[in-house]
Amino acid sequence: MGLDDRDALRVLHDAFGVPSDGSGVVARFFTRWFGTDPSVRDLFPADLTTQRAAFAHAMSWVLGEFIAQRAQQPVAFLAQLGRDHRKYGVTQRHYSAVGNVLLTTLREELADRWTPAVDAAARESLNLIVGVMGGAADAEEGPAWWDGTVVEHLRVSRDIAVVRIQLDQPLPYHPGQYVKVEVPQCPRSWRYLSPSMPPDETGAIEFHVRAVPAGLVSTAVVNETRPGDRWRLSSPLGGLHVDRDAGDVLMVAGSTGLAPLRAIIMDLSRWAVNPRVHLFFGGRYPCELYDLPTLWQIAAHNPWLSVTPVSEYAGDPEWAADYPDVTPPRGLHLRQTGRLADVVTSYGGWSDRQILVCGGSEMTRATVAALIDKGAPPQRIQHDPLSD
């Protein structure tokens, strides 16, 4: 029965579900693949932990969609994944090898659970996955990646930097989307970043980056990036957006989660008439609300925009004196103190708004849950995919 056999698909799905760190069948798959073709190892960073976990998560989600007999979203996801993987140097030869190696690894991993029905489901699933990704990659006519030069690096707080890049050629994207970025300090270690401005015809682009604990790439960007560094960017992903005809908007930004919302707001400012937008911008300390002066300038010229700053702590630490003062001129809402989710929901349920939430996974989950508890319809809430 192949893709119609839900029981057989569940056996495959379970193989990727445990353990969640990407070890098990995924670790054995990568070991076998590298053994079959040692040259493939050069496409990946030295530490495979993130790649293995992402691969396990993607396979588990796609197979879960197949079990539910849903095809539209996984096919679109796989097509985008195929287009995106061009930046790694992946070719059709790699796709053929991946399908064969993964089939062999699953057969050995499942052992006595490998029935003729599971074999059929595995072959059809892998053929579809590999076929969609490879076909989408072949059909894509745009560049596999975009290179650019760092022209400015601004340390705006102890662990936050604004990085401005001049690309060799403009990158087409929609405000609110994100890209994968490779920096020279961490070769082959790609990380997701959101442009903080709309696409620019000259190739200018800006990112806001916060160093996270144990974050190799983010720490390198904040502490080590210098003008002249060469960055590489992938094609854009994501669908965060505002529908100008779908009513007023609530935006919730935690720290550098401001970047995609800022790009959307700057894009909206091209229009004379917009839905009302209320942005809550949060950080741990007042000094970490690094872009308030810019937000003040936009709000001063666009009456549809309201900005409420929020900090968890009322005062700044001593190290704040080493960084720019972000206090805006009078005109914004008074700064609120407290947890971002609590402050936002203290204003009401926002059930009549388009809702966009951006920031760390913990903040996003807490804010989304609080809004739903207050009555906001889940289908009205947008946020980027969350890491575990």
Side-chain angles (χ1 to χ4, degrees), residues 255-266:
S255 187
T256 53
L258 174 68
L261 303 183
R262 179 185 190 267
I264 292 173
I265 288 170
M266 292 177 73

Side-chain angles (χ1 to χ4, degrees), residues 251-333:
M251 294 183 174
V252 184
S255 187
T256 53
L258 174 68
L261 303 183
R262 179 185 190 267
I264 292 173
I265 288 170
M266 292 177 73
D267 187 61
L268 288 174
S269 66
R270 299 183 301 121
W271 307 90
V273 178
N274 280 306
R276 290 181 300 162
V277 176
H278 196 135
L279 167 67
F280 288 84
F281 176 33
R284 291 173 302 178
Y285 303 104
C287 66
E288 291 187 326
L289 301 174
Y290 61 94
D291 210 38
L292 282 182
T294 300
L295 295 174
W296 176 86
Q297 289 181 352
I298 298 174
H301 294 88
N302 295 278
W304 46 265
L305 176 64
S306 299
V307 179
T308 298
V310 181
S311 63
E312 293 184 29
Y313 301 98
D316 284 327
E318 292 183 1
W319 52 258
D322 297 333
Y323 300 97
D325 180 10
V326 298
T327 305
R330 294 178 60 86
L332 286 180
H333 286 266

Side-chain angles (χ1 to χ4, degrees), residues 133-306:
M133 290 182 65
D138 275 352
E140 184 65 24
E141 296 180 352
W145 58 75
W146 284 258
D147 289 332
T149 302
V150 175
V151 295
E152 193 169 15
H153 177 273
L154 304 175
R155 191 72 171 267
V156 294
S157 185
R158 185 170 64 173
D159 55 3
I160 300 175
V162 172
V163 183
R164 293 175 179 140
I165 312 285
Q166 181 61 51
L167 297 174
D168 297 345
Q169 56 180 319
L171 168 65
Y173 61 91
H174 298 294
Q177 287 192 297
Y178 53 91
V179 298
K180 270 192 169 183
V181 173
E182 182 189 38
V183 301
Q185 292 83 3
C186 305
R188 299 186 300 279
S189 293
W190 295 76
R191 291 296 181 270
Y192 290 115
L193 294 177
S194 296
S196 61
M197 56 184 281
D200 181 87
E201 62 182 11
T202 70
I205 195 167
E206 177 183 289
F207 297 103
H208 299 173
V209 184
R210 179 171 187 163
V212 298
L216 182 65
V217 176
S218 64
T219 300
V221 169
V222 172
N223 295 330
E224 303 172 22
T225 295
R226 298 291 182 270
D229 284 356
R230 294 284 288 173
W231 283 26
R232 177 162 289 180
L233 280 58
S234 76
S235 54
L237 302 164
L240 203 67
H241 70 284
V242 164
D243 183 344
R244 294 180 60 249
D245 297 319
D248 293 337
V249 182
L250 167 67
M251 294 183 174
V252 184
S255 187
T256 53
L258 174 68
L261 303 183
R262 179 185 190 267
I264 292 173
I265 288 170
M266 292 177 73
D267 187 61
L268 288 174
S269 66
R270 299 183 301 121
W271 307 90
V273 178
N274 280 306
R276 290 181 300 162
V277 176
H278 196 135
L279 167 67
F280 288 84
F281 176 33
R284 291 173 302 178
Y285 303 104
C287 66
E288 291 187 326
L289 301 174
Y290 61 94
D291 210 38
L292 282 182
T294 300
L295 295 174
W296 176 86
Q297 289 181 352
I298 298 174
H301 294 88
N302 295 278
W304 46 265
L305 176 64
S306 299

